[in-house]
Amino acid sequence: MQQTKKSDQTILIFLSALTGLNLLQSYVTELIFDEAYYWYFAKDLAWGYFDHPPAVAFFVKLGSLLFNGELGVRFFAPFLFSGAIFLIWKLIDSPKKHEHTLLFCLLSGSVALLNAYGFFMLPDTPLIFFSTLFLFSYKNFLNKKNTKNILMMALSMSLMMYSKYHAFLLIAFVFLANISLLLNVNFWKAVGLSLVFYAPHLWWLSANDFAPLRYHFFDRADSYYKITYTTEYLLGLIGIMGFAFPWIYYSIIKTTNRNSFDRSLKFAVWGIIIFFLFSSFNRRTQAQWPMLIAIPLIIFTFRYALNHKKFRKGLAIASSVSLAVVCFLRLAMIEPALVPFSYETHGNKKWTAELKEKSKGLPVVFSNSYRNASMYSFYTGVDAFSLNDLQFRLNQYDLDTSELRFQHKKVALMINPEETPPSFMVRQAFKERKISGIFVNDFSSWRKVKIKTTAANIDAFLKPQNITLQNPYNEDIDLHQLKMYGIRLDRKKRILDTLNITMHHSKMSAITANSSLDLKVSIADSLPENSDAEFFRLAISENDLPCGFQGDIIPVR
C-alpha cells in the first residue's frame, strides 16, 4: 500500500512537471505552419473544416480566450498530453508497476514524436488524449457494461472522430478483434449514442456537399508509386518511437494476450501498421498518421519490462538516450543556433514583420499557400488570403467566405517572380524560401463560380456543348473577365496539358448576381490521338489569374 501511494505521488509529480515544462515551451516557441492554419480555423468556430473535424479549432479558440499569442493557441496541449499519459498509467493493471514508476516516466517521456503533442496544438493532440480515453473506457466496458461505461465509450468515440477522421481505424480494429461484441446490445447502444454525439459534424458535412471527403477520395491528385514512400514509412515507424524502438517492437511480438483487451490492442497496432503500409503504395504517408500505435506499444513495452530485468535495463538506457535527443531538439526549436538547419519555428516573426513593412500593411493574397497566409495573419494581425489554383490543392480558404473580404480592394499579391517582375521580396528562414509580390489596385477573383455539365466525356466538347455557370456572388460577373480552359489529367489526376476553350456567343454579357447562365463551349484545339489522359475538367481563369477548381472531374472516355 505504501509503495502504491508513493508510486502514484511520483506519477503526479512527473505529470505536473511535464505540464509545466510544456506550458513554458508553448510560450517561448514560435508557431509551426499547421498550428497557424488551425488558429485560422478557430477564428470562425464551426462543426467542421475542409481539412479536419473541429476539435483542434475548439481547443485553440478556448485557449486564445484565456491567453494571447502562442500560449493561447497551445494552452490545452500540455494538459491533454499529461492526461493521456495518466490514462496509460491507469491502463497498466500489473501490481509490479509501482516498483518501476521512474521507468514508466522515462519511457512515456522519451517516445519521440508523441512528445511533440505535449506542446504543439495539432489535430493529433486531442486525438491522442481521446483515443487513450476510448481505450480506458473500452476496458471498463468489457469488465462492466453499465450505463456509465456505455456513455464514456460513446463519448470518447465521438470525440476521437471530432479530432481526426482516421480515429476510425483504431475504433474499427479494436472492435474487429472482439467480434462477439456485435451480438451485445450494450455495444450497439454505445455506437448509436456516439453517432448521436457526432451528428452535428455529419450535418455539417452534408451541408457542405461532403467537400473534405470528395476531395480526399475523388479530386486530389495521387502520386505515382516510389519505393521511397514505403521505405520512408517504415523508417517513420522507427522514428516515432525513438531509440528504444527495438525494445518497443520486440515487446509486442513477445507479449501474449492475457484477455480480449490485449487482443484488441495488438490487433489495432498491426492493423494500423498494415493499413498505412498499403497506403504508402499510393502516396507519401506522414509520420504522424500511425501515431496511435504508440499508446498500446507503451503499455506492452512497460508491462514486458516488469518481468524481464535484462530487457528493462536496455529499455532504460535506450529511453534515456532518446529523451536526451528529444530535449535537445526541443531546445533547438527555440534557439536556431543550436542546429545547422532551420525549422518551422524559426524566424516567423521576422519574415512576417518584414513583409508587413514592404507590403505597406495592405491585405495580402498569397498564391497557393494557406500556411503562409495563416502564419502571416497570426503574427501581424493583417488580413490574408490563400488564392489556390490547379497547381495546388483545395483548403479551408476555398470553403469559407474569406475571399469576399478582398474583392475590389488594393492588395499585395504574392506571385511567381519567374513569371511576373516582383515589386518586393522577403526571405523565410525555413528552407530559405523567397516570397515575392506586387501591388494590385482592384483585386477580384471568382473562385466560387461553378461549372456544371452533363457531358459524359471529353468528346462531347469537340463540338459546342451546353454548360451552366453558377454565380454565388452578390454582384454580376463580366464574361469578358473570364477565360475558360480544358485541363487534361492522367490516371493519378495530375495535369498533363491545358486546352483552349471557346465560349460561344451568348446574349448575356455577364452572369448576374446569385444566378446561373447557360451557354455553349467547345475545345478550340485538336486532340492528339495518343495520350495518357484519363480525366478532364473545365476551369476558369478570371482576370488572368491561374485557373481554379470550378469544373468537376469527368472521364476522358
Side-chain angles (χ1 to χ4, degrees):
M1 182 64 71
Q2 185 65 27
Q3 179 70 40
T4 301
K5 183 177 180 181
K6 183 179 178 180
S7 173
D8 288 341
Q9 288 176 342
T10 302
I11 288 293
L12 290 176
I13 292 171
F14 166 67
L15 292 179
S16 297
L18 185 64
T19 303
L21 287 172
N22 283 328
L23 284 171
L24 178 61
Q25 176 126 34
S26 299
Y27 177 72
V28 299
T29 308
E30 292 184 19
L31 294 190
I32 63 174
F33 286 100
D34 281 353
E35 287 181 295
Y37 187 42
Y38 304 135
W39 167 82
Y40 173 72
F41 284 11
K43 292 176 69 176
D44 184 16
L45 280 185
W47 283 107
Y49 299 90
F50 187 89
D51 300 82
H52 293 290
V56 65
F58 170 80
F59 284 110
V60 171
K61 184 70 172 183
L62 199 57
S64 297
L65 291 175
L66 299 174
F67 299 96
N68 296 321
E70 295 92 344
L71 180 60
V73 172
R74 298 169 170 154
F75 180 71
F76 284 97
F79 297 98
L80 291 169
F81 179 70
S82 295
I85 299 300
F86 179 76
L87 289 172
I88 292 173
W89 173 254
K90 289 295 185 181
L91 282 168
I92 301 169
D93 52 13
S94 172
K96 290 186 177 181
K97 71 177 184 179
H98 299 289
E99 301 173 15
H100 303 283
T101 314
L102 292 179
L103 178 62
F104 174 80
C105 297
L106 182 61
L107 174 62
S108 60
S110 66
V111 176
L113 186 57
L114 187 66
N115 265 268
Y117 303 114
F119 63 98
F120 285 147
M121 180 51 78
L122 302 165
D124 298 271
T125 308
L127 175 65
I128 289 169
F129 174 76
F130 292 127
S131 296
T132 315
L133 181 63
F134 163 67
L135 294 176
F136 182 78
S137 62
Y138 172 65
K139 184 177 182 181
N140 290 338
F141 175 81
L142 291 177
N143 294 328
K144 191 173 184 180
K145 297 175 177 61
N146 57 18
T147 302
K148 175 185 174 183
N149 292 331
I150 291 171
L151 179 62
M152 283 301 298
M153 193 163 72
L155 184 62
S156 60
M157 284 192 291
S158 63
L159 290 172
M160 287 170 67
M161 292 299 296
Y162 272 118
S163 300
K164 208 167 184 182
Y165 292 121
H166 80 241
F168 177 77
L169 293 176
L170 180 63
I171 298 171
F173 287 128
V174 163
F175 290 152
L176 283 173
N178 191 2
I179 203 72
S180 62
L181 284 173
L182 296 177
L183 302 177
N184 189 291
V185 67
N186 290 313
F187 164 77
W188 289 110
K189 287 180 181 178
V191 171
L193 193 56
S194 69
L195 289 174
V196 172
F197 292 149
Y198 200 57
H201 182 65
L202 296 175
W203 173 86
W204 178 89
L205 283 172
S206 177
N208 287 276
D209 198 24
F210 297 93
L213 303 183
R214 284 196 303 107
Y215 168 72
H216 288 294
F217 287 107
F218 301 107
D219 291 346
R220 71 177 294 167
D222 293 326
S223 303
Y224 285 100
Y225 178 67
K226 299 178 182 178
I227 188 65
T228 55
Y229 292 168
T230 301
T231 55
E232 286 174 3
Y233 167 68
L234 295 175
L235 289 173
L237 290 176
I238 295 172
I240 63 176
M241 305 312 299
F243 288 97
F245 77 90
W247 288 266
I248 291 172
Y249 288 111
Y250 178 80
S251 68
I252 193 173
I253 294 172
K254 297 296 291 184
T255 300
T256 55
N257 297 333
R258 300 184 308 184
N259 48 46
S260 58
F261 181 69
D262 279 5
R263 185 170 65 250
S264 291
L265 290 183
K266 190 172 287 190
F267 199 88
V269 170
W270 293 119
I272 291 172
I273 288 175
I274 293 170
F275 178 89
F276 286 115
L277 176 63
F278 279 105
S279 180
S280 74
F281 298 158
N282 186 49
R283 67 192 63 172
R284 175 177 281 112
T285 59
Q286 297 180 19
Q288 72 272 18
W289 287 357
M291 190 67 239
L292 289 180
I293 66 173
I295 301 168
L297 286 178
I298 290 174
I299 296 172
F300 285 129
T301 304
F302 183 66
R303 250 178 36 191
Y304 189 82
L306 296 178
N307 299 309
H308 298 83
K309 185 177 180 180
K310 185 177 180 180
F311 178 92
R312 189 164 61 241
K313 183 178 179 180
L315 177 65
I317 294 172
S319 296
S320 298
V321 173
S322 196
L323 180 61
V325 173
V326 167
C327 289
F328 173 77
L329 291 177
R330 288 179 59 157
L331 287 173
M333 290 181 187
I334 304 169
E335 179 48 64
L338 292 175
V339 287
F341 56 86
S342 60
Y343 184 61
E344 290 185 44
T345 58
H346 298 158
N348 290 314
K349 292 180 180 179
K350 181 179 179 181
W351 76 260
T352 53
E354 185 179 353
L355 180 57
K356 181 179 180 180
E357 179 182 357
K358 291 187 175 182
S359 64
K360 303 177 182 179
L362 292 170
V364 177
V365 177
F366 289 88
S367 176
N368 293 338
S369 186
Y370 62 87
R371 290 156 62 91
N372 283 340
S374 50
M375 185 72 81
Y376 178 78
S377 189
F378 176 81
Y379 279 114
T380 65
V382 177
D383 207 2
F385 173 64
S386 178
L387 182 75
N388 307 306
D389 62 56
L390 287 174
Q391 298 291 340
F392 192 50
R393 74 169 185 87
L394 294 164
N395 53 64
Q396 182 62 25
Y397 287 94
D398 297 286
L399 190 63
D400 63 25
T401 60
S402 55
E403 179 192 35
L404 299 178
R405 299 195 303 271
F406 294 79
Q407 299 289 30
H408 305 299
K409 288 186 177 180
K410 183 176 182 179
V411 304
L413 175 64
M414 303 301 103
I415 46 87
N416 183 347
E418 296 179 359
E419 298 176 356
T420 306
S423 301
F424 56 86
M425 186 273 290
V426 300
R427 188 186 302 272
Q428 292 177 323
F430 182 54
K431 295 185 178 181
E432 290 295 309
R433 292 170 174 163
K434 295 179 182 179
I435 303 176
S436 303
I438 60 173
F439 295 105
V440 176
N441 290 323
D442 183 15
F443 175 81
S444 64
S445 63
W446 312 111
R447 293 288 134 137
K448 293 185 182 299
V449 168
K450 293 299 179 186
I451 304 171
K452 295 299 179 181
T453 177
T454 59
N457 53 52
I458 193 174
D459 291 340
F461 294 96
L462 295 176
K463 58 184 179 180
Q465 171 71 25
N466 291 321
I467 67 166
T468 300
L469 297 181
Q470 297 177 344
N471 174 14
Y473 297 93
N474 292 325
E475 61 177 298
D476 297 349
I477 299 176
D478 188 343
L479 285 178
H480 295 96
Q481 293 181 335
L482 309 181
K483 294 179 182 178
M484 192 173 296
Y485 297 92
I487 313 297
R488 294 199 305 169
L489 313 168
D490 64 14
R491 64 184 178 87
K492 294 290 186 178
K493 299 187 179 72
R494 291 178 173 271
I495 296 174
L496 287 176
D497 51 29
T498 301
L499 306 173
N500 292 303
I501 297 291
T502 300
M503 291 193 291
H504 296 281
H505 177 71
S506 170
K507 295 180 180 179
M508 305 292 291
S509 61
I511 319 171
T512 56
N514 297 298
S515 68
S516 299
L517 175 66
D518 296 326
L519 73 160
K520 293 182 180 292
V521 301
S522 62
I523 295 174
D525 304 310
S526 58
L527 299 179
E529 293 184 4
N530 298 317
S531 173
D532 294 327
E534 292 199 16
F535 297 99
F536 178 77
R537 78 187 307 167
L538 294 175
I540 291 174
S541 165
E542 69 277 38
N543 300 310
D544 294 323
L545 293 170
C547 290
F549 298 85
Q550 294 88 354
D552 294 328
I553 295 175
I554 61 175
V556 167
R557 296 286 181 265

